[in-house]
Amino acid sequence: MTTFDRYTQLKQELSFHLYRYHVLDDPIISDAEYDKLWNEFKALEAEHPEWISPDSPSQRAGTVVSEKFEKVRHPRPILSLANAFGAEDARAWYERIRKLDDRVERAKFTVEPKIDGLSVVLHYRDGVFVQGATRGDGEIGEDITANLRTVRTIPLRIPVDGEKWKAENEQPAGQLSLFDASTNSQSPLPNTLVIRGEIFIANRDFDALNQKLADAGEKTYLNPRNTAAGSLRQLDPAITATRPLTILVYQVVYFENPLSPRERAGVRDFSPPTSQWELLNWLKDLGFPVTDVARRFDTLEEAISYTETWDKGRDNLPYEADGMVIKLDDLTLAAELGFVGKDPRGAIAFKFPAREVTTQLLNIDVEVGRTGVLTPRAALEPVEINGVIVKNATLHNFDYIAEKDIRIGDRVLVKRAGEVIPYVIGPVVDVRNGAEQSYLPPQTCPACGQPVEHFEGEVAWYCVNAACPAQLVRNVEHFVSKGAMDINGLGIKIVEQLIAEGLVRDVADLYTLEKPQLLALEGFADKKADNLLAAIATTKAQPLNRLIAALGIHGVGEVAAGDLAKHFGNLDSLAQASATDLQAIEGFGPNTAESIVDWFSREANRRLLEKLKAAGVWPQGSNQLSVISNQALAGLTFVVTGTLPTLSREGVKEFIEQHGGKVTDSVSKKTSYLVLGENPGSKHDKALALGIPILDEAGLKSLAKA
Ligand code: IVH
């Protein structure tokens, strides 16, 4: 194989694995394996920059846009939607179009969520993503190609001839045929596909982003939609790349393919289907993310009742949706019905009721976070927002209160949106009566009374007292969390119980808990106590990077912890490190270095480390995969189902990978073992049907000789 062939192969493999990871959420290789491919690929690109084309996965964070975005004309108008506020409006819409065309009587309907994001238009030429634009006024938008390239769920290349992605688990590495390269960019014929989708930030990603910002003392974002909008308008795509943007697509705006090479060869034509339902599947087969909430119905009434189900269940959607879109499934009929103004007749937006209300701001409470950040929280006159009683809402930070001039006693506008924490939008100034009181941030910590501090360049105020009791709960919560020590079954309720009973005064105390102490707690029986103690004990073997991350040092997240573990190999050396030593590590600036030195210099923290060491929580060596040399599970593929007694979902995956094994999501003939826990799913049945050997957690551990 020539180096160029190898390069092309790597490009295809990497695109495939990125798709498995980001779009399907189901990777089939480990991060380490991926990194290996990526490094090889990057080395080839460094040697041969002339090979780099816009669809290379290395081109996602492209070049900075000079001053403003260029204008682009859309190939067809990007239409809007008329609204229906309830079933009666939807029925009236149906009557109107039925009168225009009696084919409507036999029509089917496809219902999709109406995502509250930003409409974008993506252009693919000969299968390559060449341009992306905002909706603008529907005729002319702005060219935000560089920013859209950073969105990992937007494919940079799609098959031009309708061949499906080979997404099966069984696909052997090295033979990934994502599409037939020979019919691709070499094609002399114009082959243009322009599609439309909605860019957004999922609720969970939004909360995680804000949590990270809050912990670092930085300004948090107000809501997912504005954050997504702001991210798309960045002139530097490197900034956009740091925001967790994603997309769902739903429409073909324009298509042009006079005669594809395949068609000339007598193979089925590559044209989009004329049914909305089939179109969604077609887009999915091309590698685009499409909603999995869409359904097709034979009657409008079924479509309405499906919509109403999601109105009630909208909190279960992973993103903000302001309604459902009911579309005529027959796109030819829909097109023939035409439009009124900018609204096509063939579809209607069935809006959910708004989730903004006004209520009285009774007080401003201050909470103390894990890193000591003080966050103001609104205590509200309880108010119902679509079925949920809201009593508290976030006020972001003290600057926000000042900027919006929010006063205690104000009538405030509050928004509740999905899983996102409710927030105060601002005061209703017109109804003030003069009794409202301006607010001043506290000078001392509300939990321990120590004076608060402010760091240069941050918006937050901190309580820097390590012994502050409010911080302890958050500290322990962080220590046991998934990204840190990952102690399975140790939820916030139990953490609070343990602290309230005085059983845990610092995180090291977790490792000396005894069974009778747990049995004395409310809600603890024999088995629960045993399981918790076993789960805690298991985490003594967690690698060093996790322990470092678990300590909750300001500015040290999972990535930095990994670097520190690799660099120092043990906590003793890390504790000795000077700010200069630390700054010598790539990516460590003076602030982080200072904060690490400061953490290790504190007497309380030194005592904590001694206690952890005495309890046997003292991992050595660099991080993750290299820690364990025993590769007893190499060559074996595992599927896990149900809840295991001590290992969490992530924990068991890591355990298997550390011992050289592979974890996949679905049972097939190639599965070596099914690891079975309590309340298993359908994977259990499938494994039984295929005669796959079954292990419990203990069986897995003995197989790994751990
Ligand atoms: S269809 C002719 N489908 O809602 C097609 N729009 O209020 C018209 N939107 O500007 C759009 N999710 O940005 C459609 N599944 C979906 C959508 C959707 C979100 C947005 C879109 C549009 C706005 C109309």
Side-chain angles (χ1 to χ4, degrees):
M1 194 191 297
T2 65
T3 1
F4 182 70
D5 287 345
R6 176 63 184 151
Y7 174 76
T8 316
Q9 187 188 41
L10 282 168
K11 186 159 131 184
Q12 291 189 8
E13 275 188 41
L14 286 166
S15 306
F16 172 73
H17 291 306
L18 283 167
Y19 167 78
R20 297 268 341 178
Y21 187 87
H22 291 292
V23 181
L24 299 185
D25 206 6
D26 183 19
I28 54 169
I29 59 172
S30 69
D31 290 0
E33 288 169 291
Y34 178 82
D35 290 345
K36 220 173 126 204
L37 295 176
W38 179 255
N39 292 340
E40 186 186 347
F41 180 71
K42 286 291 283 183
L44 286 177
E45 285 201 338
E47 245 173 79
H48 297 281
E50 73 279 9
W51 291 349
I52 305 176
S53 60
D55 66 325
S56 163
S58 66
Q59 298 305 295
R60 289 215 180 248
T63 40
V64 180
V65 172
S66 50
E67 276 165 28
K68 58 178 180 45
F69 301 104
E70 296 294 326
K71 297 264 186 265
V72 282
R73 182 172 286 280
H74 300 305
R76 294 251 197 290
I78 302 303
L79 299 173
S80 180
L81 283 175
N83 291 326
F85 298 95
E88 279 320 307
D89 281 1
R91 290 182 189 119
W93 161 72
Y94 177 84
E95 279 310 313
R96 282 197 302 278
I97 58 173
R98 193 181 61 86
K99 281 190 192 129
L100 289 173
D101 195 319
D102 58 16
R103 282 177 294 172
V104 170
E105 274 164 33
R106 296 177 298 280
K108 295 190 167 98
F109 300 88
T110 292
V111 182
E112 299 163 27
K114 183 172 174 323
I115 300 156
D116 196 8
L118 294 307
S119 226
V120 292
V121 180
L122 310 175
H123 292 238
Y124 288 81
R125 201 149 300 128
D126 292 324
V128 177
F129 174 59
V130 289
Q131 189 183 74
T134 61
R135 175 173 186 270
D137 62 2
E139 302 282 335
I140 293 174
E142 285 180 317
D143 184 339
I144 52 165
T145 313
N147 287 340
L148 288 174
R149 260 190 224 297
T150 70
V151 178
R152 288 165 192 80
T153 43
I154 294 182
L156 297 181
R157 177 175 263 235
I158 55 167
V160 285
D161 54 4
E163 195 186 319
K164 289 184 186 181
W165 286 71
K166 297 285 189 290
E168 292 87 321
N169 286 344
E170 279 75 21
Q171 193 66 22
Q175 294 179 32
L176 301 169
S177 104
L178 302 186
F179 39 77
D180 185 351
S182 63
T183 63
N184 239 295
S185 48
Q186 307 306 322
S187 165
L189 296 162
N191 182 338
T192 305
L193 177 67
V194 181
I195 61 162
R196 174 178 181 185
E198 205 76 0
I199 293 276
F200 62 96
I201 297 179
N203 292 339
R204 215 200 307 154
D205 293 333
F206 179 74
D207 284 339
L209 179 67
N210 263 352
Q211 188 60 55
K212 225 167 82 188
L213 290 169
D215 284 349
E218 287 171 36
K219 247 193 178 133
T220 49
Y221 293 110
L222 300 193
N223 64 57
R225 191 182 184 280
N226 290 357
T227 311
S231 306
L232 282 184
R233 297 201 53 82
Q234 292 294 327
L235 293 178
D236 180 358
I239 298 178
T240 313
T242 65
R243 311 278 168 78
L245 298 173
T246 187
I247 191 169
L248 288 173
V249 307
Y250 52 79
Q251 192 192 0
V252 169
V253 172
Y254 181 74
F255 177 75
E256 191 182 298
N257 187 17
L259 194 60
S260 71
R262 286 222 144 204
E263 209 178 4
R264 266 181 291 155
V267 178
R268 190 174 58 89
D269 179 32
F270 169 66
S271 314
T274 53
S275 135
Q276 176 65 15
W277 174 251
E278 283 160 26
L279 182 78
L280 291 173
N281 289 314
W282 185 83
L283 289 166
K284 187 170 168 185
D285 285 342
L286 289 179
F288 288 106
V290 296
T291 171
D292 53 11
V293 167
R295 294 283 180 278
R296 179 161 65 174
F297 298 99
D298 287 336
T299 64
L300 179 72
E301 287 310 313
E302 288 169 289
I304 291 176
S305 62
Y306 184 63
T307 298
E308 286 171 341
T309 320
W310 277 113
D311 178 9
K312 289 190 200 78
R314 69 200 271 206
D315 282 351
N316 299 327
L317 286 171
Y319 39 73
E320 272 311 287
D322 52 351
M324 300 293 275
V325 188
I326 302 181
K327 299 180 179 176
L328 278 180
D329 185 57
D330 181 344
L331 296 174
T332 316
L333 172 59
E336 284 172 21
L337 283 170
F339 39 90
V340 190
K342 282 189 175 174
D343 305 333
R345 286 200 178 87
I348 190 123
F350 192 117
K351 299 282 284 231
F352 296 149
R355 294 198 283 189
E356 287 173 20
V357 298
T358 64
T359 187
Q360 206 186 10
L361 177 63
L362 301 176
N363 203 354
I364 295 178
D365 299 330
V366 177
E367 288 190 328
V368 188
R370 170 177 66 81
T371 54
V373 176
L374 305 187
T375 13
R377 198 176 66 158
L380 303 168
E381 174 69 40
V383 60
E384 192 202 300
I385 314 186
N386 298 124
V388 172
I389 305 287
V390 174
K391 295 182 196 141
N392 295 297
T394 174
L395 283 160
H396 307 288
N397 55 56
F398 297 112
D399 285 1
Y400 184 78
I401 300 174
E403 273 161 30
K404 298 261 165 177
D405 184 21
I406 297 169
R407 305 180 190 175
I408 294 172
D410 261 339
R411 199 141 192 99
V412 287
L413 189 59
V414 178
K415 178 161 179 142
R416 180 180 82 88
E419 308 259 289
V420 179
I421 303 156
Y423 65 96
V424 174
I425 299 175
V428 187
V429 179
D430 290 348
V431 299
R432 278 191 180 146
N433 61 15
E436 299 79 12
Q437 287 165 10
S438 294
Y439 176 78
L440 285 176
Q443 311 273 296
T444 55
C445 170
C448 70
Q450 297 279 318
V452 298
E453 283 183 30
H454 189 252
F455 297 112
E456 185 73 35
E458 295 189 1
V459 291
W461 286 86
Y462 287 88
C463 165
V464 292
N465 171 18
C468 172
Q471 287 178 50
L472 182 57
V473 176
R474 303 272 162 256
N475 250 312
V476 178
E477 202 185 1
H478 170 74
F479 186 86
V480 308
S481 69
K482 283 208 174 355
M485 295 301 268
D486 191 17
I487 302 184
N488 197 23
L490 188 44
I492 176 78
K493 280 258 150 57
I494 303 179
V495 169
E496 281 171 352
Q497 263 181 311
L498 293 171
I499 291 172
E501 293 302 318
L503 297 176
V504 168
R505 293 200 171 82
D506 59 38
V507 293
D509 287 341
L510 290 169
Y511 292 93
T512 50
L513 284 172
E514 281 166 10
K515 192 168 168 186
Q517 295 177 313
L518 292 183
L519 288 177
L521 298 177
E522 204 189 302
F524 267 89
D526 218 44
K527 193 166 159 219
K528 187 169 170 187
D530 283 339
N531 283 346
L532 182 57
L533 290 174
I536 294 173
T538 307
T539 64
K540 288 186 186 176
Q542 287 288 24
L544 179 60
N545 57 309
R546 281 182 170 271
L547 179 57
I548 296 174
L551 296 175
I553 303 167
H554 184 50
V556 180
E558 284 172 48
V559 177
D563 294 341
L564 291 172
K566 218 179 274 172
H567 198 269
F568 292 99
N570 60 62
L571 276 177
D572 292 304
S573 319
L574 174 57
Q576 307 290 320
S578 69
T580 326
D581 298 337
L582 289 161
Q583 279 190 69
I585 309 174
E586 200 180 311
F588 283 68
N591 289 347
T592 314
E594 246 347 292
S595 130
I596 296 170
V597 172
D598 178 67
W599 196 92
F600 282 99
S601 71
R602 285 170 189 267
E603 189 46 40
N605 293 337
R606 290 199 167 264
R607 268 204 307 274
L608 174 69
L609 292 176
E610 285 311 318
K611 280 175 76 174
L612 284 170
K613 196 181 212 170
V617 191
W618 206 250
Q620 305 281 327
S622 81
N623 64 346
Q624 286 140 332
L625 296 167
S626 48
V627 196
I628 293 174
S629 52
N630 156 13
Q631 296 285 293
L633 305 182
L636 299 177
T637 305
F638 295 82
V639 173
V640 185
T641 182
T643 314
L644 301 178
T646 74
L647 289 168
S648 70
R649 279 263 127 180
E650 288 196 7
V652 66
K653 186 160 185 273
E654 197 169 303
F655 177 86
I656 292 171
E657 285 171 359
Q658 278 176 340
H659 291 85
K662 207 171 102 177
V663 180
T664 63
D665 250 6
S666 51
V667 176
S668 76
K669 279 180 291 187
K670 302 211 168 158
T671 309
S672 320
Y673 291 97
L674 180 82
V675 182
L676 181 69
E678 260 180 55
N679 303 322
S682 62
K683 294 173 188 172
H684 185 204
D685 303 330
K686 183 135 187 235
L688 289 173
L690 292 175
I692 307 294
I694 296 177
L695 294 173
D696 60 5
E697 185 181 305
L700 173 69
K701 285 185 174 161
S702 66
L703 189 68
K705 306 193 192 78

